[in-house]
Amino acid sequence: MPTANYGEKVMTLVFWLAAFLITAILAVIIGYIVVKGFSVLSLDFIFTPPSRAGKEGGISTTIVSTLYLVLGSLLIAVPVGVASAVYLEEYARKNSRFAYIVNLTAETLAGIPSIVFGLFGFVFFVIFLGWGWSILSGAMTMAIMILPTITRTSQEAILAVPREYRENSLALGASKWQTIRKIVLPSALPGIATGIILSIGRAVGETAALLLTAGSSLGMPMSITDPARTMAVHLYILAMEGISLERAFGTAFVIIVLILIINYAAHYGMRRLSALGR
Amino acid sequence: MNSIKIRSHNLNVFYGPFQALYDINMDIESNKVTALIGPSGCGKSTFLRSINRLNELIDGVRIEGQIYIDEKPIYARDVDVVALRKKVGMVFQKPSAFPMSIYENVAYGPRIHGIKDRRVLDEIVEKSLKAANLWNEVKDRLKAPATGLSGGQQQRLVIARVLAVNPEVILMDEPASALDPISTAKLEELIAELRCNYTIVIVTHNMQQAARVSDYTGFFLNGRLIEYNRTEELFVNPRDKRTEDYITGRFG
Ligand SMILES: Nc1ncnc2c1ncn2[C@@H]1O[C@H](COP(=O)(O)OP(=O)(O)OP(=O)(O)O)[C@@H](O)[C@H]1O
Ligand SMILES: [Mg+2]
């Protein structure tokens, strides 16, 4: 059947092209960023603070601000998200009204655009609570933003833990909490980590919501009440206000490298942690 | 001298509106193997899971009647479920090693129950693995992931894990149904050895297996215990027509 064979070949080519496109896009973007930002890239760029609004100097303060904001939002969102996932999957009754409402809320929150969270954070944390533009306001806003992702992925990870593990553990005389702590959460860890990595990516890339809540100060933040400018915000301002396109691309490059480092570190850590498991 | 280890008295179990067990009265002897047979869905697992109170984890389960172990009611208000489950171990159908090392699997129970001393744990792990006929196969890789073991090895690991908490009763729910013939033979051998020190209740779909391993056999049908007797008696000389139909294979 030559026609069927021909069709097969054409489709294979189409699928191959689609897959190739993804790789090509990534290569072009990274290549473009490297070429454009190359002139400013150096260790100095990473380790010196910006001067003259970013026209000169490096981006050290924005790297530190980014790390603070990401860490801060994770510190709030991970415990709350994982705890609520444990509650929803392990403690709530299947047709509980409260669980239904929480699930629905998480789903709705996940669909809200980040700028809306930014607006809320601005009005509530910055103005109403009087925290001003600060790491605290920014981290709280981002925590709310990533909370649904962390809750959802943790729920899925917990749900994927085989029922047999729980039954075996309980049948050995373990309490529910011992079973969750020693069996369920360790088994769910890789899935939970995936949610955390996704959230980190979102937080590192966020701009608008952070402009509204953490401000755009280029100074080195000394406490959580200080305002801060993350790399993404810095990039945005550099490009938008025509301060320096080279430096914008240089910043973009550092953002990508940082994300790669975080991803690999997380994967590696995860493999170490669950080395015995799989 | 026979002594009764487990006594089920007018046990009725409901899943919501559905009644899964009707008035089960059954005395199970100490240090014997008792097999439960019957067609799928007749309530064997439900009965087994009533003995270590695992059923109550399911939403909407209702249990009436009483089960006595060593003449003490297990469905009484002041019963410590943890202590009960320590005394009544369970092996499930699907071999299920925890995703941790072989050593940690066996040490899991003792650790849960507060044993921290490394030397004591080492001793328990070795003793339990030996008792489960697994020691020789794993002694050189105690730190290796248990999930790398074969199904038959995992099932013996699960038994070692149960033995490690020093139970008196072991419930087994179709423990060989996921195993190949050789692993099954090893498991049956193990059950024969364990019967000296433990009271074993085993659910099986395999008539020959029930005949081979058990001293007593109970036949369940539609949530009722139809016939319960010494294994040879029940297989050679069934009193109830339905038992006969089932063991001769003339049954759905
Ligand atoms: N969690 C549950 N919710 C509702 N009904 C259940 C539940 N578990 C079991 N049942 C019902 O109770 C009855 C007895 O089930 P059980 O699992 O005890 O049977 P079984 O004899 O072990 O069957 P099998 O040989 O297939 O394992 C069945 O009709 C089953 O559908
Ligand atoms: Mg069953």
Side-chain angles (χ1 to χ4, degrees):
Chain A
M1 285 178 288
T3 40
N5 206 352
Y6 179 71
E8 190 70 24
K9 275 193 177 137
V10 170
M11 283 323 287
T12 309
L13 185 68
V14 169
F15 291 134
W16 185 87
L17 276 175
F20 174 76
L21 197 63
I22 291 180
T23 318
I25 290 173
L26 181 70
V28 166
I29 290 182
I30 290 188
Y32 194 72
I33 288 172
V34 171
V35 169
K36 291 295 237 179
F38 195 74
S39 58
V40 297
L41 278 178
S42 67
L43 279 182
D44 266 1
F45 186 65
I46 294 169
F47 289 113
T48 50
S51 53
R52 296 191 55 213
K55 220 183 197 55
E56 283 163 19
I59 55 167
S60 65
T61 60
T62 68
I63 296 178
V64 172
S65 301
T66 306
L67 293 178
Y68 280 171
L69 271 157
V70 169
L71 224 61
S73 55
L74 290 180
L75 235 46
I76 301 159
V78 171
V80 178
V82 173
S84 50
V86 166
Y87 173 78
L88 290 171
E89 294 306 322
E90 299 286 335
Y91 287 96
R93 291 183 156 260
K94 269 197 203 68
N95 35 24
S96 127
R97 195 155 178 78
F98 177 65
Y100 173 78
I101 291 171
V102 174
N103 272 316
L104 193 71
T105 315
E107 210 136 314
T108 312
L109 276 177
I112 293 179
S114 58
I115 185 65
V116 177
F117 288 111
L119 185 64
F120 168 80
F122 176 63
V123 172
F124 188 70
F125 299 124
V126 176
I127 296 172
F128 179 72
L129 292 184
W131 292 350
W133 282 325
S134 62
I135 299 228
L136 188 58
S137 303
M140 286 298 279
T141 308
M142 297 235 276
I144 297 172
M145 204 169 88
I146 62 178
L147 191 57
T149 310
I150 291 187
T151 308
R152 284 259 147 234
T153 46
S154 303
Q155 269 181 280
E156 267 157 41
I158 290 170
L159 200 63
V161 176
R163 214 172 74 110
E164 291 90 38
Y165 288 178
R166 300 182 176 84
E167 290 197 324
N168 271 281
S169 171
L170 293 166
L172 285 166
S175 67
K176 193 164 185 168
W177 170 233
Q178 285 172 321
T179 302
I180 291 170
R181 192 164 43 107
K182 297 192 164 216
I183 304 283
V184 176
L185 285 180
S187 308
L189 205 58
I192 295 173
T194 306
I196 294 177
I197 292 173
L198 282 174
S199 303
I200 292 175
R202 236 187 122 178
V204 169
E206 184 53 48
T207 49
L210 281 179
L211 260 174
L212 282 171
T213 53
S216 60
S217 154
L218 271 173
M220 182 66 90
M222 290 305 174
S223 82
I224 56 170
T225 52
D226 280 355
R229 184 194 288 199
T230 65
M231 286 187 279
V233 173
H234 188 51
L235 188 161
Y236 170 77
I237 292 174
L238 286 180
M240 192 64 196
E241 295 180 4
I243 297 171
S244 163
L245 267 188
E246 285 82 29
R247 270 153 215 277
F249 275 110
T251 310
F253 182 79
V254 178
I255 290 179
I256 288 179
V257 171
L258 183 78
I259 297 249
L260 286 180
I261 290 174
I262 289 171
N263 280 5
Y264 281 109
H267 274 293
Y268 179 74
M270 212 41 54
R271 231 171 329 143
R272 287 289 305 268
L273 273 174
S274 60
L276 283 171
R278 275 113 253 277
Chain B
M1 271 314 293
N2 299 339
S3 68
I4 304 304
K5 187 73 182 175
I6 306 164
R7 182 199 300 280
S8 167
H9 180 72
N10 289 344
L11 185 75
N12 289 282
V13 178
F14 304 81
Y15 294 109
F18 174 75
Q19 184 162 8
L21 287 179
Y22 295 84
D23 281 327
I24 306 296
N25 286 293
M26 193 174 186
D27 288 352
I28 294 172
E29 266 189 47
S30 259
N31 293 23
K32 290 284 187 312
V33 177
T34 301
L36 308 179
I37 60 170
S40 191
C42 66
K44 307 177 296 293
S45 299
T46 303
F47 179 63
L48 210 59
R49 294 161 61 95
S50 303
I51 303 175
N52 64 350
R53 293 186 53 172
L54 213 56
N55 270 336
E56 60 198 42
L57 301 173
I58 299 165
D59 280 353
V61 165
R62 203 171 86 244
I63 296 152
E64 289 171 2
Q66 189 57 268
I67 290 180
Y68 301 86
I69 295 184
D70 295 328
E71 297 304 330
K72 286 198 240 10
I74 65 166
Y75 288 100
R77 220 162 252 292
D78 57 346
V79 169
D80 175 4
V81 182
V82 166
L84 170 72
R85 293 190 183 140
K86 210 172 150 226
K87 191 162 162 180
V88 184
M90 183 155 185
V91 178
F92 297 81
Q93 180 168 5
K94 200 171 151 207
S96 169
F98 294 144
M100 41 177 94
S101 73
I102 294 170
Y103 182 98
E104 287 303 325
N105 262 276
V106 183
Y108 182 80
R111 279 195 208 278
I112 289 284
H113 298 296
I115 297 177
K116 292 201 183 76
D117 186 331
R118 189 72 194 199
R119 260 174 313 165
V120 178
L121 285 173
D122 286 350
E123 220 167 274
I124 294 175
V125 168
E126 179 169 346
K127 207 173 111 219
S128 309
L129 285 169
K130 278 180 173 158
N133 290 344
L134 190 60
W135 176 252
N136 285 331
E137 288 158 72
V138 300
K139 62 171 186 279
D140 301 321
R141 47 172 174 150
L142 292 175
K143 299 277 168 256
T147 39
L149 296 173
S150 77
Q153 289 173 325
Q154 284 199 29
Q155 202 60 305
R156 278 178 285 145
L157 178 70
V158 169
I159 292 176
R161 196 167 66 194
V162 167
L163 296 181
V165 297
N166 209 9
E168 294 168 21
V169 177
I170 303 176
L171 311 172
M172 301 187 174
D173 195 350
E174 302 183 43
S177 67
L179 306 185
D180 62 274
I182 294 176
S183 303
T184 302
K186 282 191 180 169
L187 188 75
E188 288 181 9
E189 217 173 281
L190 174 58
I191 292 170
E193 287 170 24
L194 293 176
R195 65 138 59 84
C196 310
N197 299 314
Y198 303 90
T199 304
I200 297 175
V201 187
I202 179 171
V203 171
T204 174
H205 272 286
N206 181 328
M207 246 35 82
Q208 286 83 16
Q209 185 169 68
R212 276 196 303 268
V213 303
S214 69
D215 304 291
Y216 292 89
T217 299
F219 171 60
F220 281 74
L221 185 66
N222 296 330
R224 292 191 162 82
L225 179 61
I226 302 296
E227 188 165 348
Y228 177 43
N229 210 335
R230 296 195 63 85
T231 299
E232 313 95 79
E233 273 297 304
L234 188 127
F235 277 96
V236 176
N237 219 345
R239 281 188 216 141
D240 196 293
K241 179 77 171 55
R242 290 165 293 181
T243 314
E244 187 180 346
D245 286 350
Y246 183 71
I247 58 180
T248 51
R250 258 177 284 158
F251 219 93

